Amino acid sequence: MAAPLASKAGTAGTTSKPPFPELDFRSGARVEELNKLIQEFTKHDQREYDDQRALEIHTAKDFIFSMLGMVQKLDQKLPVANEYLLLSGGVREGVVDIDLDELNVYARGTDYDMDFTLLVPALKLHDRNQPVTLDMRHSALCHSWLSLRLFDEGTISKWKDCCTIVDHINGATNYFFSPTKVADWFYDSISIVLSEIQKKPQRGMPKVEKVEKNGTIISIILGVGSSRMLYDIVPVVSFKGWPAVAQSWLMENHFWDGKITEEEVISGFYLVPACSYKGKKDNEWRLSFARSEVQLKKCISSSLMQAYQACKAIIIKLLSRPKAISPYHLRSMMLWACDRLPASYLAQEDYAAHFLLGLIDDLQHCLVNKMCPNYFIPQCNMLEHLSEETVMLHARKLSSVRSDPAEHLRTAIEHVKAANRLTLELQRRGSTTSIPSPQSDGGDANQPDDRLAKKLQQLVTENPGKSISVFINPDDVTRPHFRIDDKFF
């Protein structure tokens, strides 16, 4: 029997040759090299925050939440006791399924250092235990209109100026909550509040460097000390429970089964202000499962997440024109891969290169077949509206990545290193002193903030790998509450 090629013996007395290095068949790249490049990208992409940066992050959150409390008091439209969902990463990073073609281009390093998405409920339906049935008669799959008939007369009276009106033959009037009008109102209200705040600046208050309306998103860039933070604020409709249209998804087997409870996954969903390709922008909302995705992320291995982040960095640059593919498509493909592949395989720590190559293959497959099912509503094809010319253009671009993934990884590394250099340069030019909170007016008042920074650092050290955030009551921004995953401190 012939010995395998990789271990064929040489002349007598010599040792066997070492196993041949594992190669990617398509590109010839060494898998070990790709793994090292992904690790290097991760090192530069995921920066650790010292006490000063943690305090600046808190100060920005404090300011945004206080601002939203003032928006609520402006005309009482927003719920008094509201519940925001804060996501790490801006809308352009694919944290929610919103079209990117209406958004201005912002670059990390050039325009901001850290980015967040904040979902702010304009309306809440939180008193239902049964599956939520939405009015999808006029919409494409995964979209809905929202009639204010579901709400009381007081709510209708407050919001009727942000509705489109449909009169029926029987004389009844129906008010449909309009995503575009709500976004206009929200932008105007935020602008009024910021104008008032800036008339009476307080010591340590963040500098508002930019406020822009991007389609139905309000983007705010704050300067806090030596940091610039982008907040993409999204007005949404918040629901407790689960939509009837996604009920069948719960009947299938999923990768998260046994790791988190179904109650955690289906605790709520949103309508975000985005319409379908042929939908009516003034009336149509898009279903969003961002709350569920936060829970599912806990069940994804670190090596797969590293591959996803590296792949996302590549496609954001490569597939930016025309804007047809967003990072949210890639996120959906990753979730499908988690359902398709064995958990033991996806848990391999040194398989990040395999996962990166697989994600590129998956994306190219979806483009060639013009098919990318929504993870929660599989009957909704998120690429259905694209032209054959567009999908083939992007598929060819991805083919170039697949032929030389190492080179594209090196380019992504250089981009993130350049962004970090810009950030460091700004920090060198900026303030290095302690940043008091917006409520502070000097003296010993910044001592609580010193304790806050130490508390943040302690929580980070004691809870590696966990999601840590600060919850602030908009009516009492002086009392921060730390949340680690689902526990408050």
Side-chain angles (χ1 to χ4, degrees), residues 171-212:
T173 298
N174 201 350
Y175 295 94
F176 287 101
F177 206 43
S178 169
T180 53
K181 292 185 178 183
V182 170
D184 289 341
W185 163 83
F186 205 26
Y187 174 71
D188 291 342
S189 298
I190 286 176
S191 299
I192 291 170
V193 166
L194 289 178
S195 176
E196 289 299 314
I197 290 175
Q198 289 170 320
K199 287 178 182 177
K200 299 177 182 179
Q202 298 183 28
R203 182 173 178 269
M205 187 174 72
K207 178 185 177 183
V208 181
E209 298 189 354
K210 187 175 292 186
V211 182
E212 290 187 337

mmCIF file of all heavy atoms in Angstrom, residues 171-212:
data_model
loop_
_atom_site.group_PDB
_atom_site.id
_atom_site.type_symbol
_atom_site.label_atom_id
_atom_site.label_comp_id
_atom_site.label_asym_id
_atom_site.label_seq_id
_atom_site.Cartn_x
_atom_site.Cartn_y
_atom_site.Cartn_z
ATOM 1 N N GLY A 171 -67.731 56.511 4.959
ATOM 2 C CA GLY A 171 -67.541 57.781 5.654
ATOM 3 C C GLY A 171 -66.507 57.741 6.761
ATOM 4 O O GLY A 171 -66.142 58.789 7.312
ATOM 5 N N ALA A 172 -66.009 56.544 7.121
ATOM 6 C CA ALA A 172 -65.007 56.442 8.186
ATOM 7 C C ALA A 172 -63.652 56.943 7.677
ATOM 8 O O ALA A 172 -63.344 56.846 6.490
ATOM 9 C CB ALA A 172 -64.891 54.998 8.647
ATOM 10 N N THR A 173 -62.878 57.486 8.576
ATOM 11 C CA THR A 173 -61.542 57.966 8.237
ATOM 12 C C THR A 173 -60.502 57.093 8.930
ATOM 13 O O THR A 173 -60.610 56.825 10.130
ATOM 14 C CB THR A 173 -61.354 59.421 8.693
ATOM 15 O OG1 THR A 173 -62.306 60.242 8.007
ATOM 16 C CG2 THR A 173 -59.947 59.916 8.365
ATOM 17 N N ASN A 174 -59.517 56.652 8.158
ATOM 18 C CA ASN A 174 -58.457 55.816 8.726
ATOM 19 C C ASN A 174 -57.131 56.577 8.651
ATOM 20 O O ASN A 174 -56.775 57.112 7.602
ATOM 21 C CB ASN A 174 -58.356 54.491 7.960
ATOM 22 C CG ASN A 174 -57.673 53.409 8.792
ATOM 23 O OD1 ASN A 174 -57.122 53.688 9.849
ATOM 24 N ND2 ASN A 174 -57.718 52.185 8.309
ATOM 25 N N TYR A 175 -56.441 56.617 9.768
ATOM 26 C CA TYR A 175 -55.151 57.286 9.841
ATOM 27 C C TYR A 175 -54.033 56.231 9.819
ATOM 28 O O TYR A 175 -53.969 55.370 10.706
ATOM 29 C CB TYR A 175 -55.046 58.121 11.121
ATOM 30 C CG TYR A 175 -56.024 59.263 11.183
ATOM 31 C CD1 TYR A 175 -57.252 59.127 11.815
ATOM 32 C CD2 TYR A 175 -55.710 60.491 10.604
ATOM 33 C CE1 TYR A 175 -58.147 60.179 11.878
ATOM 34 C CE2 TYR A 175 -56.600 61.561 10.653
ATOM 35 C CZ TYR A 175 -57.811 61.398 11.287
ATOM 36 O OH TYR A 175 -58.703 62.453 11.335
ATOM 37 N N PHE A 176 -53.159 56.309 8.802
ATOM 38 C CA PHE A 176 -52.032 55.386 8.700
ATOM 39 C C PHE A 176 -50.753 56.107 9.103
ATOM 40 O O PHE A 176 -50.402 57.147 8.535
ATOM 41 C CB PHE A 176 -51.913 54.829 7.281
ATOM 42 C CG PHE A 176 -52.973 53.831 6.935
ATOM 43 C CD1 PHE A 176 -54.068 54.200 6.165
ATOM 44 C CD2 PHE A 176 -52.885 52.522 7.385
ATOM 45 C CE1 PHE A 176 -55.057 53.283 5.852
ATOM 46 C CE2 PHE A 176 -53.874 51.594 7.072
ATOM 47 C CZ PHE A 176 -54.957 51.977 6.298
ATOM 48 N N PHE A 177 -50.091 55.554 10.104
ATOM 49 C CA PHE A 177 -48.858 56.128 10.643
ATOM 50 C C PHE A 177 -47.810 56.184 9.531
ATOM 51 O O PHE A 177 -47.472 55.164 8.934
ATOM 52 C CB PHE A 177 -48.380 55.252 11.798
ATOM 53 C CG PHE A 177 -47.555 55.971 12.813
ATOM 54 C CD1 PHE A 177 -47.892 57.238 13.266
ATOM 55 C CD2 PHE A 177 -46.431 55.357 13.365
ATOM 56 C CE1 PHE A 177 -47.134 57.880 14.229
ATOM 57 C CE2 PHE A 177 -45.664 55.996 14.331
ATOM 58 C CZ PHE A 177 -46.015 57.257 14.764
ATOM 59 N N SER A 178 -47.293 57.371 9.266
ATOM 60 C CA SER A 178 -46.405 57.574 8.120
ATOM 61 C C SER A 178 -44.939 57.613 8.558
ATOM 62 O O SER A 178 -44.549 58.497 9.330
ATOM 63 C CB SER A 178 -46.754 58.885 7.406
ATOM 64 O OG SER A 178 -45.756 59.223 6.457
ATOM 65 N N PRO A 179 -44.106 56.688 8.089
ATOM 66 C CA PRO A 179 -42.690 56.702 8.483
ATOM 67 C C PRO A 179 -41.963 57.970 8.054
ATOM 68 O O PRO A 179 -41.108 58.476 8.782
ATOM 69 C CB PRO A 179 -42.113 55.461 7.793
ATOM 70 C CG PRO A 179 -43.086 55.093 6.726
ATOM 71 C CD PRO A 179 -44.426 55.554 7.193
ATOM 72 N N THR A 180 -42.305 58.510 6.884
ATOM 73 C CA THR A 180 -41.610 59.710 6.413
ATOM 74 C C THR A 180 -42.019 60.934 7.228
ATOM 75 O O THR A 180 -41.179 61.778 7.573
ATOM 76 C CB THR A 180 -41.911 59.957 4.924
ATOM 77 O OG1 THR A 180 -43.331 59.968 4.718
ATOM 78 C CG2 THR A 180 -41.295 58.860 4.070
ATOM 79 N N LYS A 181 -43.309 61.048 7.556
ATOM 80 C CA LYS A 181 -43.770 62.189 8.353
ATOM 81 C C LYS A 181 -43.276 62.103 9.795
ATOM 82 O O LYS A 181 -42.947 63.130 10.405
ATOM 83 C CB LYS A 181 -45.301 62.285 8.312
ATOM 84 C CG LYS A 181 -45.847 62.652 6.935
ATOM 85 C CD LYS A 181 -47.352 62.845 6.966
ATOM 86 C CE LYS A 181 -47.868 63.268 5.587
ATOM 87 N NZ LYS A 181 -49.324 63.519 5.610
ATOM 88 N N VAL A 182 -43.214 60.885 10.320
ATOM 89 C CA VAL A 182 -42.670 60.705 11.670
ATOM 90 C C VAL A 182 -41.200 61.107 11.693
ATOM 91 O O VAL A 182 -40.742 61.789 12.617
ATOM 92 C CB VAL A 182 -42.839 59.240 12.133
ATOM 93 C CG1 VAL A 182 -42.055 58.984 13.421
ATOM 94 C CG2 VAL A 182 -44.309 58.918 12.354
ATOM 95 N N ALA A 183 -40.445 60.713 10.672
ATOM 96 C CA ALA A 183 -39.019 61.067 10.599
ATOM 97 C C ALA A 183 -38.846 62.583 10.479
ATOM 98 O O ALA A 183 -37.945 63.160 11.103
ATOM 99 C CB ALA A 183 -38.359 60.356 9.426
ATOM 100 N N ASP A 184 -39.709 63.229 9.688
ATOM 101 C CA ASP A 184 -39.646 64.694 9.568
ATOM 102 C C ASP A 184 -39.905 65.354 10.919
ATOM 103 O O ASP A 184 -39.191 66.286 11.328
ATOM 104 C CB ASP A 184 -40.674 65.189 8.545
ATOM 105 C CG ASP A 184 -40.296 64.836 7.117
ATOM 106 O OD1 ASP A 184 -39.120 64.540 6.865
ATOM 107 O OD2 ASP A 184 -41.201 64.847 6.249
ATOM 108 N N TRP A 185 -40.967 64.885 11.616
ATOM 109 C CA TRP A 185 -41.284 65.441 12.936
ATOM 110 C C TRP A 185 -40.124 65.232 13.897
ATOM 111 O O TRP A 185 -39.731 66.143 14.648
ATOM 112 C CB TRP A 185 -42.544 64.782 13.502
ATOM 113 C CG TRP A 185 -42.674 65.010 14.980
ATOM 114 C CD1 TRP A 185 -43.188 66.113 15.595
ATOM 115 C CD2 TRP A 185 -42.217 64.146 16.027
ATOM 116 N NE1 TRP A 185 -43.085 65.977 16.963
ATOM 117 C CE2 TRP A 185 -42.503 64.785 17.246
ATOM 118 C CE3 TRP A 185 -41.621 62.880 16.038
ATOM 119 C CZ2 TRP A 185 -42.194 64.206 18.473
ATOM 120 C CZ3 TRP A 185 -41.306 62.303 17.259
ATOM 121 C CH2 TRP A 185 -41.593 62.963 18.457
ATOM 122 N N PHE A 186 -39.540 64.030 13.873
ATOM 123 C CA PHE A 186 -38.468 63.691 14.797
ATOM 124 C C PHE A 186 -37.234 64.569 14.552
ATOM 125 O O PHE A 186 -36.629 65.093 15.500
ATOM 126 C CB PHE A 186 -38.118 62.214 14.627
ATOM 127 C CG PHE A 186 -37.491 61.588 15.840
ATOM 128 C CD1 PHE A 186 -37.728 62.081 17.110
ATOM 129 C CD2 PHE A 186 -36.665 60.484 15.713
ATOM 130 C CE1 PHE A 186 -37.153 61.499 18.222
ATOM 131 C CE2 PHE A 186 -36.083 59.894 16.818
ATOM 132 C CZ PHE A 186 -36.334 60.400 18.076
ATOM 133 N N TYR A 187 -36.902 64.764 13.299
ATOM 134 C CA TYR A 187 -35.746 65.602 12.969
ATOM 135 C C TYR A 187 -35.994 67.052 13.404
ATOM 136 O O TYR A 187 -35.114 67.691 13.997
ATOM 137 C CB TYR A 187 -35.463 65.546 11.472
ATOM 138 C CG TYR A 187 -34.369 66.489 11.018
ATOM 139 C CD1 TYR A 187 -33.031 66.246 11.336
ATOM 140 C CD2 TYR A 187 -34.680 67.639 10.284
ATOM 141 C CE1 TYR A 187 -32.032 67.120 10.939
ATOM 142 C CE2 TYR A 187 -33.679 68.514 9.880
ATOM 143 C CZ TYR A 187 -32.364 68.249 10.213
ATOM 144 O OH TYR A 187 -31.378 69.118 9.816
ATOM 145 N N ASP A 188 -37.201 67.562 13.121
ATOM 146 C CA ASP A 188 -37.525 68.943 13.527
ATOM 147 C C ASP A 188 -37.474 69.096 15.045
ATOM 148 O O ASP A 188 -36.948 70.094 15.565
ATOM 149 C CB ASP A 188 -38.914 69.333 13.011
ATOM 150 C CG ASP A 188 -38.954 69.478 11.494
ATOM 151 O OD1 ASP A 188 -37.872 69.613 10.889
ATOM 152 O OD2 ASP A 188 -40.063 69.425 10.924
ATOM 153 N N SER A 189 -38.007 68.098 15.770
ATOM 154 C CA SER A 189 -38.039 68.172 17.236
ATOM 155 C C SER A 189 -36.631 68.113 17.818
ATOM 156 O O SER A 189 -36.293 68.872 18.750
ATOM 157 C CB SER A 189 -38.890 67.028 17.802
ATOM 158 O OG SER A 189 -40.224 67.128 17.353
ATOM 159 N N ILE A 190 -35.808 67.217 17.293
ATOM 160 C CA ILE A 190 -34.422 67.110 17.768
ATOM 161 C C ILE A 190 -33.672 68.408 17.486
ATOM 162 O O ILE A 190 -32.899 68.896 18.330
ATOM 163 C CB ILE A 190 -33.724 65.901 17.116
ATOM 164 C CG1 ILE A 190 -34.236 64.602 17.737
ATOM 165 C CG2 ILE A 190 -32.198 65.991 17.260
ATOM 166 C CD1 ILE A 190 -33.682 63.344 17.106
ATOM 167 N N SER A 191 -33.906 68.998 16.314
ATOM 168 C CA SER A 191 -33.237 70.255 15.964
ATOM 169 C C SER A 191 -33.620 71.372 16.921
ATOM 170 O O SER A 191 -32.769 72.166 17.351
ATOM 171 C CB SER A 191 -33.585 70.655 14.519
ATOM 172 O OG SER A 191 -33.136 69.667 13.603
ATOM 173 N N ILE A 192 -34.915 71.451 17.282
ATOM 174 C CA ILE A 192 -35.374 72.473 18.226
ATOM 175 C C ILE A 192 -34.711 72.285 19.589
ATOM 176 O O ILE A 192 -34.200 73.230 20.196
ATOM 177 C CB ILE A 192 -36.915 72.418 18.371
ATOM 178 C CG1 ILE A 192 -37.585 72.891 17.068
ATOM 179 C CG2 ILE A 192 -37.384 73.259 19.556
ATOM 180 C CD1 ILE A 192 -39.085 72.638 17.030
ATOM 181 N N VAL A 193 -34.696 71.033 20.065
ATOM 182 C CA VAL A 193 -34.115 70.744 21.383
ATOM 183 C C VAL A 193 -32.626 71.054 21.399
ATOM 184 O O VAL A 193 -32.106 71.678 22.344
ATOM 185 C CB VAL A 193 -34.381 69.273 21.770
ATOM 186 C CG1 VAL A 193 -33.504 68.854 22.947
ATOM 187 C CG2 VAL A 193 -35.849 69.081 22.118
ATOM 188 N N LEU A 194 -31.907 70.631 20.369
ATOM 189 C CA LEU A 194 -30.464 70.890 20.322
ATOM 190 C C LEU A 194 -30.174 72.382 20.264
ATOM 191 O O LEU A 194 -29.205 72.863 20.860
ATOM 192 C CB LEU A 194 -29.836 70.180 19.121
ATOM 193 C CG LEU A 194 -29.744 68.644 19.228
ATOM 194 C CD1 LEU A 194 -29.159 68.058 17.956
ATOM 195 C CD2 LEU A 194 -28.897 68.232 20.432
ATOM 196 N N SER A 195 -31.017 73.106 19.556
ATOM 197 C CA SER A 195 -30.845 74.556 19.499
ATOM 198 C C SER A 195 -31.001 75.175 20.882
ATOM 199 O O SER A 195 -30.232 76.066 21.275
ATOM 200 C CB SER A 195 -31.859 75.162 18.523
ATOM 201 O OG SER A 195 -31.775 76.566 18.507
ATOM 202 N N GLU A 196 -31.979 74.703 21.647
ATOM 203 C CA GLU A 196 -32.196 75.211 23.000
ATOM 204 C C GLU A 196 -31.038 74.840 23.917
ATOM 205 O O GLU A 196 -30.587 75.650 24.731
ATOM 206 C CB GLU A 196 -33.517 74.660 23.567
ATOM 207 C CG GLU A 196 -34.760 75.252 22.922
ATOM 208 C CD GLU A 196 -34.835 76.762 23.137
ATOM 209 O OE1 GLU A 196 -34.617 77.210 24.289
ATOM 210 O OE2 GLU A 196 -35.093 77.487 22.158
ATOM 211 N N ILE A 197 -30.558 73.595 23.795
ATOM 212 C CA ILE A 197 -29.445 73.142 24.638
ATOM 213 C C ILE A 197 -28.204 73.985 24.378
ATOM 214 O O ILE A 197 -27.488 74.384 25.310
ATOM 215 C CB ILE A 197 -29.149 71.644 24.372
ATOM 216 C CG1 ILE A 197 -30.279 70.764 24.912
ATOM 217 C CG2 ILE A 197 -27.821 71.235 25.016
ATOM 218 C CD1 ILE A 197 -30.128 69.285 24.590
ATOM 219 N N GLN A 198 -27.957 74.268 23.098
ATOM 220 C CA GLN A 198 -26.730 74.971 22.740
ATOM 221 C C GLN A 198 -26.771 76.455 23.113
ATOM 222 O O GLN A 198 -25.743 77.120 23.143
ATOM 223 C CB GLN A 198 -26.445 74.794 21.248
ATOM 224 C CG GLN A 198 -26.017 73.364 20.908
ATOM 225 C CD GLN A 198 -25.969 73.081 19.421
ATOM 226 O OE1 GLN A 198 -26.836 73.525 18.671
ATOM 227 N NE2 GLN A 198 -24.964 72.342 18.993
ATOM 228 N N LYS A 199 -27.973 76.973 23.403
ATOM 229 C CA LYS A 199 -28.071 78.366 23.866
ATOM 230 C C LYS A 199 -27.511 78.516 25.272
ATOM 231 O O LYS A 199 -27.062 79.594 25.658
ATOM 232 C CB LYS A 199 -29.532 78.826 23.845
ATOM 233 C CG LYS A 199 -30.091 79.080 22.451
ATOM 234 C CD LYS A 199 -31.554 79.492 22.537
ATOM 235 C CE LYS A 199 -32.153 79.705 21.157
ATOM 236 N NZ LYS A 199 -33.608 80.040 21.242
ATOM 237 N N LYS A 200 -27.580 77.417 26.055
ATOM 238 C CA LYS A 200 -27.087 77.443 27.431
ATOM 239 C C LYS A 200 -26.113 76.283 27.641
ATOM 240 O O LYS A 200 -26.409 75.326 28.352
ATOM 241 C CB LYS A 200 -28.259 77.323 28.418
ATOM 242 C CG LYS A 200 -29.276 78.447 28.309
ATOM 243 C CD LYS A 200 -30.440 78.229 29.261
ATOM 244 C CE LYS A 200 -31.481 79.333 29.126
ATOM 245 N NZ LYS A 200 -32.649 79.096 30.043
ATOM 246 N N PRO A 201 -24.962 76.359 26.991
ATOM 247 C CA PRO A 201 -24.001 75.249 27.121
ATOM 248 C C PRO A 201 -23.490 75.107 28.548
ATOM 249 O O PRO A 201 -23.277 76.098 29.248
ATOM 250 C CB PRO A 201 -22.875 75.654 26.163
ATOM 251 C CG PRO A 201 -22.978 77.139 26.045
ATOM 252 C CD PRO A 201 -24.442 77.465 26.171
ATOM 253 N N GLN A 202 -23.323 73.851 28.974
ATOM 254 C CA GLN A 202 -22.797 73.571 30.294
ATOM 255 C C GLN A 202 -21.399 72.981 30.171
ATOM 256 O O GLN A 202 -21.052 72.384 29.151
ATOM 257 C CB GLN A 202 -23.717 72.587 31.030
ATOM 258 C CG GLN A 202 -25.114 73.127 31.266
ATOM 259 C CD GLN A 202 -25.966 72.152 32.057
ATOM 260 O OE1 GLN A 202 -25.460 71.368 32.842
ATOM 261 N NE2 GLN A 202 -27.272 72.215 31.845
ATOM 262 N N ARG A 203 -20.636 73.144 31.202
ATOM 263 C CA ARG A 203 -19.271 72.650 31.188
ATOM 264 C C ARG A 203 -19.264 71.129 30.974
ATOM 265 O O ARG A 203 -19.988 70.395 31.625
ATOM 266 C CB ARG A 203 -18.577 72.990 32.511
ATOM 267 C CG ARG A 203 -17.124 72.545 32.573
ATOM 268 C CD ARG A 203 -16.464 73.079 33.837
ATOM 269 N NE ARG A 203 -15.087 72.622 33.938
ATOM 270 C CZ ARG A 203 -14.723 71.504 34.555
ATOM 271 N NH1 ARG A 203 -15.649 70.754 35.122
ATOM 272 N NH2 ARG A 203 -13.449 71.168 34.611
ATOM 273 N N GLY A 204 -18.427 70.673 30.049
ATOM 274 C CA GLY A 204 -18.320 69.248 29.784
ATOM 275 C C GLY A 204 -19.363 68.711 28.825
ATOM 276 O O GLY A 204 -19.368 67.523 28.533
ATOM 277 N N MET A 205 -20.260 69.565 28.356
ATOM 278 C CA MET A 205 -21.309 69.101 27.452
ATOM 279 C C MET A 205 -20.705 68.728 26.093
ATOM 280 O O MET A 205 -19.849 69.438 25.576
ATOM 281 C CB MET A 205 -22.361 70.196 27.262
ATOM 282 C CG MET A 205 -23.581 69.755 26.482
ATOM 283 S SD MET A 205 -24.848 71.049 26.449
ATOM 284 C CE MET A 205 -24.098 72.225 25.334
ATOM 285 N N PRO A 206 -21.135 67.605 25.492
ATOM 286 C CA PRO A 206 -20.605 67.238 24.179
ATOM 287 C C PRO A 206 -20.855 68.319 23.138
ATOM 288 O O PRO A 206 -21.849 69.047 23.188
ATOM 289 C CB PRO A 206 -21.389 65.963 23.835
ATOM 290 C CG PRO A 206 -21.818 65.409 25.142
ATOM 291 C CD PRO A 206 -22.062 66.588 26.028
ATOM 292 N N LYS A 207 -19.949 68.408 22.198
ATOM 293 C CA LYS A 207 -20.106 69.336 21.085
ATOM 294 C C LYS A 207 -20.870 68.632 19.962
ATOM 295 O O LYS A 207 -20.483 67.564 19.520
ATOM 296 C CB LYS A 207 -18.734 69.790 20.580
ATOM 297 C CG LYS A 207 -18.812 70.719 19.377
ATOM 298 C CD LYS A 207 -17.419 71.045 18.853
ATOM 299 C CE LYS A 207 -17.507 71.927 17.601
ATOM 300 N NZ LYS A 207 -16.163 72.186 17.030
ATOM 301 N N VAL A 208 -21.958 69.221 19.519
ATOM 302 C CA VAL A 208 -22.734 68.647 18.416
ATOM 303 C C VAL A 208 -22.052 69.046 17.112
ATOM 304 O O VAL A 208 -22.152 70.188 16.666
ATOM 305 C CB VAL A 208 -24.197 69.127 18.451
ATOM 306 C CG1 VAL A 208 -24.983 68.494 17.299
ATOM 307 C CG2 VAL A 208 -24.841 68.780 19.788
ATOM 308 N N GLU A 209 -21.340 68.121 16.511
ATOM 309 C CA GLU A 209 -20.580 68.426 15.305
ATOM 310 C C GLU A 209 -21.413 68.298 14.033
ATOM 311 O O GLU A 209 -21.131 68.951 13.030
ATOM 312 C CB GLU A 209 -19.355 67.507 15.220
ATOM 313 C CG GLU A 209 -18.383 67.704 16.384
ATOM 314 C CD GLU A 209 -17.076 66.963 16.195
ATOM 315 O OE1 GLU A 209 -16.956 66.198 15.207
ATOM 316 O OE2 GLU A 209 -16.177 67.143 17.025
ATOM 317 N N LYS A 210 -22.444 67.456 14.067
ATOM 318 C CA LYS A 210 -23.248 67.273 12.856
ATOM 319 C C LYS A 210 -24.611 66.718 13.244
ATOM 320 O O LYS A 210 -24.724 65.841 14.101
ATOM 321 C CB LYS A 210 -22.540 66.307 11.898
ATOM 322 C CG LYS A 210 -23.197 66.157 10.542
ATOM 323 C CD LYS A 210 -22.345 65.278 9.619
ATOM 324 C CE LYS A 210 -21.044 65.952 9.254
ATOM 325 N NZ LYS A 210 -20.267 65.174 8.254
ATOM 326 N N VAL A 211 -25.651 67.259 12.635
ATOM 327 C CA VAL A 211 -27.015 66.713 12.751
ATOM 328 C C VAL A 211 -27.583 66.668 11.342
ATOM 329 O O VAL A 211 -27.753 67.721 10.710
ATOM 330 C CB VAL A 211 -27.925 67.575 13.652
ATOM 331 C CG1 VAL A 211 -29.307 66.922 13.771
ATOM 332 C CG2 VAL A 211 -27.319 67.781 15.011
ATOM 333 N N GLU A 212 -27.847 65.493 10.841
ATOM 334 C CA GLU A 212 -28.358 65.348 9.468
ATOM 335 C C GLU A 212 -29.491 64.347 9.424
ATOM 336 O O GLU A 212 -29.498 63.367 10.169
ATOM 337 C CB GLU A 212 -27.237 64.888 8.530
ATOM 338 C CG GLU A 212 -26.175 65.931 8.269
ATOM 339 C CD GLU A 212 -25.184 65.500 7.206
ATOM 340 O OE1 GLU A 212 -25.020 64.285 6.977
ATOM 341 O OE2 GLU A 212 -24.561 66.388 6.593
#
